[in-house]
Amino acid sequence: PLLTCSGVTLRVAPLSLLRRTLTVHELAIRDLHLRVVRQGTAEKPDLNVLPVLKPQPPTAPEPASEAPSRAVHLARLRVERLSTRWEDLTGQTPWVAGATNLDVAVDGLLFDPGAPPENAGAGLASLQATWVQPGRPDAVLAASARIGTLSTAIPSVNAVARLTGFSLLSLGP
């Protein structure tokens, strides 16, 4: 399969269902696995993601609703133990690479299509991952960014990244 997970948790503030802003305390996805496989030949590869990315036939537009849009405040989004695996089976020697133990967290996001951009609160995004390197120690990547607004429609980003033990030799076949 292209994408699997072992569990999803959604915690919502019950009273916010009656208000204009829906408050999601936590959306957590555990053990999310993404597997991309390239098969066929080098001249005519076949990716397992192509059926998912295939354009859908156009449908009749839905009539516009007069209901006001709802804002969503996402207090915490977590993806725990995300793993990716890329397989290229088109050459004589199969090439497999992947990242494991990817943890992604996003805190304090407000999605409000009806509000001016300067009303957006600051959000925090962080990522930590382990890159598996056959025959070498695993590499670790950690990054975080705080996102806010300086003035009207001018985002402010304060970011830091750290990469240790990474070898470019692990990226080739």
Side-chain angles (χ1 to χ4, degrees):
L2 175 65
L3 193 63
T4 61
C5 78
S6 70
V8 176
T9 301
L10 177 64
R11 292 187 320 116
V12 178
L15 289 178
S16 72
L17 294 171
L18 304 173
R19 298 187 181 125
R20 185 186 172 288
T21 301
L22 175 67
T23 300
V24 177
H25 290 298
E26 178 181 40
L27 173 58
I29 303 169
R30 289 175 302 287
D31 298 316
L32 184 63
H33 302 288
L34 171 66
R35 182 173 177 245
V36 178
V37 180
R38 183 178 179 208
Q39 298 176 343
T41 64
E43 294 78 30
K44 189 173 179 181
D46 180 27
L47 286 172
N48 67 333
V49 295
L50 293 180
V52 176
L53 300 176
K54 185 160 91 173
Q56 300 298 320
T59 59
E62 294 182 18
S65 69
E66 297 300 320
S69 59
R70 288 191 63 166
V72 176
H73 176 249
L74 181 57
R76 183 138 178 94
L77 166 67
R78 293 182 299 135
V79 179
E80 300 170 341
R81 296 179 303 273
L82 169 73
S83 65
T84 59
R85 181 177 172 99
W86 297 276
E87 301 177 22
D88 188 348
L89 308 176
T90 59
Q92 292 180 356
T93 309
W95 178 71
V96 177
T100 60
N101 296 329
L102 228 78
D103 290 326
V104 179
V106 179
D107 296 324
L109 292 183
L110 177 64
F111 304 99
D112 189 353
E118 60 269 14
N119 290 354
L124 174 66
S126 62
L127 164 84
Q128 182 167 336
T130 303
W131 183 267
V132 178
Q133 305 177 107
R136 294 182 176 77
D138 293 345
V140 176
L141 166 69
S144 65
R146 176 154 309 271
I147 303 163
T149 304
L150 288 175
S151 66
T152 305
I154 300 175
S156 165
V157 178
N158 182 8
V160 63
R162 182 187 67 196
L163 179 64
T164 60
F166 187 71
S167 171
L168 293 177
L169 298 174
S170 66
L171 294 177

